[in-house]
């Protein structure tokens, strides 16, 4: 089964996705695929919060670029935290939008239980620079792709989740 948790920054989506996969992984320790690259002190602090919250409940894998290859190697349920940062990393490292979406689609077609976390970036104003607009557009395309392939989709806000695709 594939599940998507989508919402804004600090909406509670990561915490809700973690609880969701742990509830459904009785007797099996799920994988936690952390995609964020450690670039500065503020990101280090954000990562530390996630590490503290998950502690030993997951098998943690850190991979900022190779989503498909990493998911193929996992033998068990996987929480991907988060697709948004993976998109950002791939753009930063020069991958084309077509290559990024192609890898995401291939990952969505893998057999297995996956929970994807993704930021909804399309609810605000249109960004004022080309790179930010490219990222927002790519993020929206990725969200639509995941929404179409996932069996369940939850929108998160204020620490709550609303089933969009039950």
């Amino acid at each position: 089964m594939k599940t998507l948790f989508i919402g804004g920054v600090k909406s509670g989506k990561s915490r809700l996705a973690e609880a969701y996969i742990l509830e459904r992984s009785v007797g099996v320790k799920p994988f936690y695929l952390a995609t964020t690259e450690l670039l500065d002190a503020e990101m280090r602090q954000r990562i530390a919060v996630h590490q503290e919250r998950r502690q030993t409940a997951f098998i943690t894998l850190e991979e900022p670029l190779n989503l498909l290859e990493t998911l193929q190697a996992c033998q068990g349920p996987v929480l991907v935290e988060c697709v948004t940062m993976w998109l950002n990393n791939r753009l930063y490292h020069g991958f084309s939008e077509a290559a990024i979406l192609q890898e995401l689609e291939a990952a969505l077609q893998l057999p297995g239980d996956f929970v994807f976390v993704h930021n909804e970036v399309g609810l605000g104003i249109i960004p004022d620079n080309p790179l930010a607009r490219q990222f927002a557009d790519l993020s929206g395309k990725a969200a639509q792709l995941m929404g179409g392939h996932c069996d369940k989709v939850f929108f998160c806000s204020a620490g709550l989740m609303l089933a969009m695709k039950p």
Side-chain angles (χ1 to χ4, degrees), residues 21 31 48 69 72 75 82 88 114 147:
I21 198 167
F31 291 90
E69 180 182 317
Q72 288 172 325
Q75 300 297 313
C82 78
N88 179 71
F114 302 112

Side-chain angles (χ1 to χ4, degrees), residues 97-119:
E97 285 189 35
I100 294 167
L101 293 172
Q102 187 175 40
E103 181 163 341
L104 179 59
E105 185 159 20
L108 288 163
Q109 294 177 11
L110 291 173
D113 293 323
F114 302 112
V115 175
F116 298 93
V117 177
H118 188 59
N119 284 13

Side-chain angles (χ1 to χ4, degrees), residues 47-161:
I47 291 168
V49 168
H50 284 254
Q51 289 171 333
E52 176 65 28
R53 191 172 58 227
R54 70 178 178 257
Q55 294 186 10
T56 61
F58 294 89
I59 300 166
T60 300
L61 305 171
E62 295 180 3
E63 176 50 57
L65 296 173
N66 300 311
L67 180 67
L68 179 61
E69 180 182 317
T70 305
L71 291 177
Q72 288 172 325
C74 292
Q75 300 297 313
V78 183
L79 172 64
V80 179
E81 184 19 10
C82 78
V83 175
T84 311
M85 290 307 299
W86 176 77
L87 293 173
N88 179 71
N89 299 340
R90 299 279 289 193
L91 274 179
Y92 177 79
H93 288 283
F95 289 85
S96 72
E97 285 189 35
I100 294 167
L101 293 172
Q102 187 175 40
E103 181 163 341
L104 179 59
E105 185 159 20
L108 288 163
Q109 294 177 11
L110 291 173
D113 293 323
F114 302 112
V115 175
F116 298 93
V117 177
H118 188 59
N119 284 13
E120 174 54 74
V121 300
L123 295 175
I125 61 172
I126 296 172
D128 68 348
N129 68 77
L131 181 58
R133 285 191 297 274
Q134 179 188 14
F135 176 76
D137 290 350
L138 176 61
S139 181
K141 290 173 188 174
Q144 290 180 51
L145 189 61
M146 289 184 288
H149 281 278
C150 286
D151 304 292
K152 293 185 176 195
V153 177
F154 297 102
F155 182 79
C156 303
S157 182
L160 303 171
M161 60 190 217

